[in-house]
Amino acid sequence: MEPKEATGKENMGTKRKNLTFLRPRLYMLERRKTDTVVESSVSGDHSGTLRRSQSDRTEYNQKLQEKMTSQAESSAAEAPGSEEEHQMGRMMAKRAKIIKELIQTEKDYLNDLELCVQEVVQPLRNKQIDRLDVDSLFSNIESVHQISAKLLSLLEEATTDVEPTMQVIGEVFLQIKGPLEDIYKIYCYHHDEAHSVLESYEKEEELKQHLSHCIQSLK
């Protein structure tokens, strides 16, 4: 019994050694099955085929992506002028739109002031109604109308037939800054008083009728 047991142990040891010896060869054989075969395209190269494993392909893809990224960045760096010109064009278009809206807003505001003066203030002045103080009710609205017309005229003068890059809007406001402040100081100072006067007039039926008639004409 003992010699047989010894022989069995020796056989087991031999099999383990064989497995240890074959394991790397089996791995290489399995790897060859999954390798990608690439034909050599170099002129005059007769070395046959090149084999790339999965890890080799991954490394190749990474290097290719890095190269493409580098080329894209290089191309962007070579043409900074086009990007700057595009950005400048967008800024100028935005500026032109703002100036256009500013002038249109001034036109609408001036139109409202003209309607108020023509349809409300002047008719009430002409009627010379007792107990109705037009100056207290409307303050210096005629002066506001005049300075607004002046501002619009200067804005149109600065932009009409003038290239967008040459339109100087800030200079217009600096030029009219003093008169604009003086007139609106008076108007704003009397605003609360005018509101109180209007509330008192609305309590008197006769005065209320006159005001309502002017408002209807305005509408």
Side-chain angles (χ1 to χ4, degrees):
M1 294 294 293
E2 292 179 359
K4 289 182 177 180
E5 291 177 359
T7 301
K9 290 180 179 180
E10 289 177 359
N11 292 335
M12 289 295 293
T14 302
K15 289 181 179 180
R16 287 177 180 174
K17 288 181 181 179
N18 290 337
L19 286 173
T20 303
F21 178 76
L22 291 173
R23 186 174 288 112
R25 286 162 175 73
L26 290 171
Y27 171 75
M28 291 299 295
L29 181 60
E30 191 66 27
R31 181 177 174 182
R32 284 177 180 274
K33 291 180 180 179
T34 60
D35 284 350
T36 301
V37 179
V38 182
E39 295 293 333
S40 175
S41 60
V42 180
S43 176
D45 186 2
H46 303 287
S47 59
T49 60
L50 300 175
R51 295 182 179 273
R52 289 183 183 156
S53 65
Q54 183 64 36
S55 60
D56 293 333
R57 284 180 294 172
T58 301
E59 183 179 358
Y60 174 79
N61 289 336
Q62 290 177 348
K63 289 182 179 180
L64 182 61
Q65 290 178 1
E66 291 174 359
K67 184 176 181 181
M68 293 176 64
T69 302
S70 176
Q71 290 177 348
E73 292 176 350
S74 176
S75 299
E78 289 175 358
S82 60
E83 177 63 25
E84 291 179 359
E85 290 176 0
H86 181 63
Q87 185 176 359
M88 181 62 69
R90 287 183 298 177
M91 291 177 61
M92 292 306 299
K94 184 177 181 180
R95 182 176 185 270
K97 182 179 179 181
I98 292 172
I99 292 174
K100 182 179 180 180
E101 290 179 354
L102 174 64
I103 294 176
Q104 186 59 49
T105 300
E106 287 300 318
K107 286 181 179 179
D108 294 341
Y109 179 57
L110 182 61
N111 183 62
D112 291 341
L113 287 173
E114 288 177 351
L115 288 174
C116 184
V117 171
Q118 294 174 3
E119 301 296 333
V120 180
V121 179
Q122 290 179 352
L124 289 176
R125 287 190 190 280
N126 295 335
K127 289 182 179 181
Q128 298 181 348
I129 304 169
D130 293 338
R131 304 186 313 280
L132 196 154
D133 189 348
V134 177
D135 291 334
S136 297
L137 190 58
F138 295 98
S139 186
N140 62 334
I141 193 170
E142 286 97 345
S143 298
V144 173
H145 171 260
Q146 291 173 2
I147 196 65
S148 297
K150 180 63 176 178
L151 174 59
L152 178 60
S153 175
L154 292 174
L155 288 172
E156 290 178 335
E157 181 180 345
T159 56
T160 303
D161 297 329
V162 179
E163 291 294 327
T165 55
M166 301 300 294
Q167 294 176 357
V168 184
I169 301 301
E171 186 65 29
V172 172
F173 287 94
L174 290 175
Q175 179 181 346
I176 203 171
K177 173 178 175 289
L180 203 65
E181 285 184 350
D182 292 340
I183 291 173
Y184 271 95
K185 280 180 181 177
I186 297 173
Y187 184 81
C188 293
Y189 180 80
H190 291 96
H191 182 269
D192 291 342
E193 178 186 351
H195 184 70
S196 299
V197 170
L198 178 61
E199 288 182 339
S200 66
Y201 288 168
E202 288 178 340
K203 295 177 182 179
E204 298 188 31
E205 190 61 32
E206 181 182 355
L207 299 180
K208 185 178 179 180
Q209 289 289 337
H210 288 293
L211 293 173
S212 297
H213 178 75
C214 293
I215 292 173
Q216 289 300 323
S217 299
L218 184 61
K219 291 180 178 180

